[in-house]
Amino acid sequence: MELVHHRSGSGPPLVLMHGIGHHWQAWQPVIGLLARHHDVIAVDLPGFGASPPLPPGTISTAESLAYAVEAFWRDLGIDEPHVAGNSLGGYLALDMASRGVCRTATAISPAGFWSRTELLWLRSVLKAMRAGPINRAGLGLVVAHPERLSDEALHSGWQALKDAPGFYETLDAFYWMPPPAPPKVPVTIAWGEKDRLLPRRQAVRAGRWAQKRVHLMPGCGHIPMTDDPELVAQVILRGARAAN
């Protein structure tokens, strides 16, 4: 399927995937930094941002979203790109690594390493944010520095959350989303030190899954791209270099 995306830069292809209820613009603070080294493709997942939902009869799960993004980059003539994702997008990146369809995968605060109680917390916060009025103070649950988010990014991100047709079906699928199979390519996992949506204790479980150290990102929340763009770009670039 055709997915709305932004593409810039040159070099080895790098596909960026956002979290549930967000859109490709979440990556805008870091795209310029990454585009110095990569052909960067930031994509709206099916049913989010401006991309159409999955075809009728296809349930919006992490697996179906990952396959749709893979089919999308193949339509662009790309084979085995580097991938990076945040939250749900981080889980998709790890799923792609488990199937060996990418060169490397970088996951920032990836979904899927929660306890049942932590999942209930995540669901309640996301549903309240979608239903409630726009509120910069409430963004402290997803970013460490709400004041660094521009008014335009705040309003467009909130609208993306409220308008996403794939939101509830994908959120419900979280109940049946186990950690991915072991990776077949190099993976990097990083976690916001101040992540309040998926607390950093989940990084311990992610580290056990990956059998490697998880990088903590100082001063960063769950969606860290505006908290520290340079650090986020460094994490992704280092992750991509792991293929060399």
Side-chain angles (χ1 to χ4, degrees):
M1 62 186 303
E2 185 174 348
L3 300 179
V4 172
H5 62 283
H6 171 84
R7 190 172 188 175
S8 63
S10 60
L14 167 64
V15 176
L16 302 177
M17 296 169 288
H18 59 75
I20 187 171
H22 223 325
H23 53 179
W24 75 259
Q25 288 88 342
W27 296 100
Q28 279 184 318
V30 302
I31 286 176
L33 299 170
L34 299 174
R36 299 172 187 172
H37 308 274
H38 289 276
D39 173 12
V40 179
I41 303 112
V43 61
D44 277 345
L45 298 178
F48 297 96
S51 286
L54 292 167
T58 304
I59 299 174
S60 184
T61 65
E63 182 181 45
S64 62
L65 293 175
Y67 278 109
V69 174
E70 182 185 346
F72 155 76
W73 78 51
R74 293 191 187 282
D75 285 345
L76 293 180
I78 295 172
D79 185 48
E80 295 186 355
H82 300 280
V83 298
N86 172 227
S87 195
L88 171 61
Y91 183 96
L92 301 189
L94 296 180
D95 175 78
M96 293 163 176
S98 75
R99 294 187 286 112
V101 298
C102 55
R103 292 190 64 191
T104 65
T106 300
I108 299 173
S109 291
F113 296 97
W114 44 53
S115 67
R116 186 168 182 82
T117 301
E118 291 163 348
L119 175 56
L120 293 174
W121 159 253
L122 167 75
R123 285 174 55 85
S124 65
V125 170
L126 291 177
K127 289 163 76 172
M129 291 181 68
R130 180 176 164 110
I134 190 167
N135 184 343
R136 187 177 288 272
L139 288 177
L141 289 170
V142 292
V143 296
H145 298 282
E147 73 281 0
R148 297 180 186 174
L149 197 66
S150 69
D151 288 342
E152 179 183 0
L154 171 64
H155 285 272
S156 66
W158 209 277
Q159 202 63 49
L161 174 62
K162 290 181 176 295
D163 292 347
F167 176 80
Y168 284 111
E169 187 172 70
T170 307
L171 188 64
D172 287 345
F174 283 2
Y175 279 125
W176 303 278
M177 196 168 83
K184 297 178 181 177
V185 302
V187 299
T188 298
I189 301 177
W191 220 281
E193 187 179 37
K194 297 185 177 181
D195 193 333
R196 297 174 63 192
L197 191 63
L198 296 181
R200 71 182 197 181
R201 59 181 172 270
Q202 296 179 29
V204 176
R205 300 171 201 143
R208 290 175 185 150
W209 172 84
Q211 297 186 350
K212 63 191 305 180
R213 184 172 67 90
V214 172
H215 305 278
L216 283 181
M217 305 173 68
C220 290
H222 180 66
I223 304 174
M225 286 77 90
T226 55
D227 289 330
D228 195 334
E230 290 79 12
L231 178 57
V232 172
Q234 289 171 14
V235 168
I236 295 172
L237 292 172
R238 283 199 303 265
R241 286 197 293 269
N244 299 329

